[in-house]
Each structure stands twice: as structure tokens, then as C-alpha cells.
Amino acid sequence: EKISGLSVHGNFQNKQYVQVKNPYLETMEEDILYHFSLSTKTHNLPEMFGDIKFVCVGGSTNRMKAFAQFIHQELKQPGNPEDLRDICEGTDRYCMYKVGPVLSISHGMGVPSISIMLHELIKLLHHAQCRDVILFRLGTSGGVGLAPGTVVITDKAVDYSFRPQFEQVVLGKVITRSTELDEGVASELLQCSSELQNVPTVIGNTMCTHDFYEGQGRLDGALCSFSQEEKLEYLRNAYDAGVRNIEMESTVFAAMCRVCGLKAAVVCVALLHRFEGGQSTAPHDVLVDYQQRPQVLVSHFIKKRLGQI
Ligand code: R2B
Ligand code: URA
């Protein structure tokens, strides 16, 4: 049977292939991954990406380049980390770097941006016949009842009413998908955090919103349609529902990975304490240190999995 046929079953000799859930893909002679500037005709995807085991995604292009350089050093890869090439240099929508079995990709801000990237990433991993891949979202977030700098490993990714689901409009109708993440990877990450210094970490629910300002109860946007008291009531309700941080991509990330049989985890640092305000006053170097914490944690996880610790 063809590889594409195998992938429908997902599991072959205990190897978990990346599954696409679209029968039309099989019938296409060429698949153009437009926002990566890659295609099945112009690029040998199995040769370029077949050995990928860990995919790390995050919003900013500079941060994901820095992560690629960091993991290059951590995994003691040959060559100079400064020489890493952006595989998506034909487009400025997303950046992509490969370091041994690790792929580092940016996804921009918000659900629509990460969802476009994930469609093409999951197809890429499928075309490349990758097996046993784990995806991590390394990000920033607003903390709910946490000290700034705390890393949150997501238990459940929840929507604006704290439900573990993602709603998507398809052909004018709302469809709902579950946002459950991999429990085993989350507890392995928590174990990793206990082996590190300066990476205070908790497991909690992560609320995903479609806006940074009003959508996250901020009083400092160009518009504000609610009071300080209403903001605090909403954040308190979120806290009571187990929410420990707020960001803008986790629900669609969890939902898409789950449908396609990819183990996934969300690891975001809380940059500020949302009961206190909406703006971070922490100095630049403190924020840079905070943003490195998810990278240090996931790098430790990867090194352990590869037997390098
Ligand atoms: C966290 O930070 C960004 C907004 O500042 C957004 O992408 C997110 O999820
Ligand atoms: N990212 C968010 O989405 N919210 C915050 O408060 C901080 C970072």
C-alpha cells in the first residue's frame, strides 16, 4: 500500500505518521505550501524534513530564529549557529529553521495566522513522511494570579467562556473541535522544569482570545466598553475556572494537532499579572529573560528525549 494509504491509518509498525484529514489531498498532483514558499514538486520534502521529531512554533520571527540558534548550541550541532538559513526565505509570512531533528517556525499573532501556518506545516510533515512528531508552542501570555516570569504548561486550552473547545466557521456554520492536549508530554515537561533553576512553572488552563485588548479585558486599548470592576470579575471567573494565563493561539493549535494525531503541548511564560493591569513595565532585559524560559524548558525536554542528558 502507498505511504499516503498508510497515513490514513496513522499507525504502522508502532510508528505514528502525521495524518491529514482531507481526501482531496491524495488526488492532487502538486501541493503548493504557499505561505512557506515550498512545494511537493520543487522540493524533496521527505529528504528535507523526514527526520523531524520536534517542531517548535512561536509568534515572533526573531524569537524563533533565536530558538533555532539556541537549540543548535544545546544539541551540539556541527557548524555555526549564525549560519542557519531561513527555509522560508522566499516569503516573509513565516520563518523556518531546521536544526537536526528540530524544526523552529514562527506563526505570527492570533488564531487566523497560526491556523494558516498549521495547515501547511501538518501537510509538510505528512508529505515528508515524518513519524512520532511532538509539537510545542513556545509563547508569551498574560498571567492570571501568577507572578510575572512564571511558565505555564497548558492543561486545557479554553475559549472565552472557559470551555475546552475551538469554534470554527465552515461554509457559514460553526463547527466545534476539542482542544485536549497530550497529558503525558505536559507532565514530562513539568518534571523537566523541576530539574531546572530559574524556570518557575505551573500546569494550568490557558484561555485563548481573538483580541489582545478588549478581548483580554484590557482597559488600555483604543476602545473599551466595560469597567474596571467588570474586567476584574471576568478575570476572577477565569481564575476560578482554572485559567492561569491568556494568549491568542492555543485553542486552534490544540484542536488541529489533535485531529491530525500529533502530540502537542503549549508552554507560555506569563509576562505580566493581569489582575494588576494591562501594560508590562518590566525592563527590556527582564522580558528577554522571561521569554527564554519556555525555550530553556523545551530544550531540556528535547535533550532528555534524545538521550543527551
Ligand atoms: C501572545 O503574545 C501575542 C500578543 O502580544 C500573541 O501572539 C500571543 O498569543
Ligand atoms: N500575550 C497575550 O496574548 N496577552 C498578554 O497579556 C501578553 C502576551
Side-chain angles (χ1 to χ4, degrees):
E1 209 181 296
K2 300 189 303 290
I3 288 294
S4 53
L6 292 175
S7 62
V8 173
H9 306 297
N11 206 320
F12 178 63
Q13 291 175 342
N14 294 324
K15 298 282 189 196
Q16 191 75 41
Y17 282 90
V18 179
Q19 305 161 53
V20 289
K21 290 294 166 76
N22 175 4
Y24 293 102
L25 275 183
E26 308 287 340
T27 66
M28 288 165 47
E29 214 179 289
E30 177 181 15
D31 188 12
I32 299 168
L33 307 175
Y34 171 61
H35 302 86
F36 288 160
S37 196
L38 297 172
S39 145
T40 51
K41 267 213 174 139
T42 54
H43 297 80
N44 184 340
L45 299 179
E47 193 178 283
M48 289 173 73
F49 298 104
D51 62 341
I52 293 292
K53 297 294 176 204
F54 307 97
V55 180
C56 300
V57 305
S60 121
T61 49
N62 281 339
R63 183 153 42 81
M64 295 324 287
K65 181 177 185 180
F67 175 71
Q69 292 174 339
F70 173 62
I71 198 88
H72 185 279
Q73 286 173 316
E74 291 285 292
L75 299 183
K76 301 195 169 52
Q77 292 287 300
N80 187 342
E82 299 298 321
D83 295 340
L84 283 172
R85 195 178 65 87
D86 179 1
I87 297 169
C88 296
E89 64 192 356
T91 168
D92 61 2
R93 295 297 185 185
Y94 306 109
C95 71
M96 182 188 289
Y97 298 90
K98 184 177 182 298
V99 178
V102 181
L103 204 56
S104 177
I105 313 174
S106 68
H107 58 59
M109 286 190 284
V111 162
S113 183
I114 194 175
S115 120
I116 295 166
M117 192 285 284
L118 287 172
H119 276 284
E120 296 181 16
L121 169 64
I122 293 168
K123 292 197 296 174
L124 182 155
L125 297 173
H126 170 74
H127 292 312
Q129 295 153 33
C130 295
R131 293 167 301 273
D132 304 322
V133 179
I134 306 179
L135 251 79
F136 301 91
R137 166 167 143 67
L138 314 183
T140 59
S141 60
V144 181
L146 296 178
T150 307
V151 173
V152 180
I153 300 165
T154 302
D155 177 12
K156 291 196 205 74
V158 300
D159 69 5
Y160 57 89
S161 31
F162 322 133
R163 296 170 300 190
Q165 64 181 42
F166 173 67
E167 290 176 346
Q168 164 111 29
V169 179
V170 177
L171 305 182
K173 296 197 187 78
V174 176
I175 63 164
T176 301
R177 292 190 171 123
S178 162
T179 56
E180 245 163 80
L181 290 156
D182 192 89
E183 270 181 41
V185 175
S187 56
E188 205 173 317
L189 280 164
L190 189 66
Q191 171 61 35
C192 286
S193 74
S194 72
E195 296 160 11
L196 292 167
Q197 268 157 18
N198 297 324
V199 187
T201 305
V202 299
I203 289 198
N205 294 344
T206 296
M207 178 163 73
C208 177
T209 70
H210 292 310
D211 176 44
F212 183 81
Y213 287 98
E214 284 187 292
Q216 296 188 6
R218 277 189 161 76
L219 299 166
D220 60 337
L223 317 177
C224 187
S225 55
F226 48 84
S227 67
Q228 155 90 351
E229 290 68 38
E230 286 169 320
K231 163 198 152 171
L232 285 176
E233 187 189 353
Y234 183 59
L235 293 182
R236 253 184 255 113
N237 289 341
Y239 185 87
D240 291 343
V243 170
R244 292 296 174 271
N245 64 341
I246 309 176
E247 47 77 273
M248 300 182 61
E249 295 87 12
S250 58
T251 50
V252 73
F253 173 80
M256 289 182 71
C257 290
R258 192 170 182 279
V259 171
C260 296
L262 280 157
K263 287 193 174 180
V266 178
V267 183
C268 292
V269 68
L271 296 182
L272 71 169
H273 191 325
R274 288 304 321 287
F275 285 144
E276 275 153 25
Q279 303 196 336
S280 175
T281 48
H284 179 73
D285 56 324
V286 172
L287 290 177
V288 169
D289 169 62
Y290 288 172
Q291 291 184 39
Q292 281 165 353
R293 292 178 181 183
Q295 303 188 10
V296 170
L297 179 54
V298 169
S299 154
H300 187 76
F301 178 104
I302 291 173
K303 283 196 288 181
K304 273 183 89 173
R305 279 284 183 116
L306 293 174
Q308 294 198 8
I309 292 181

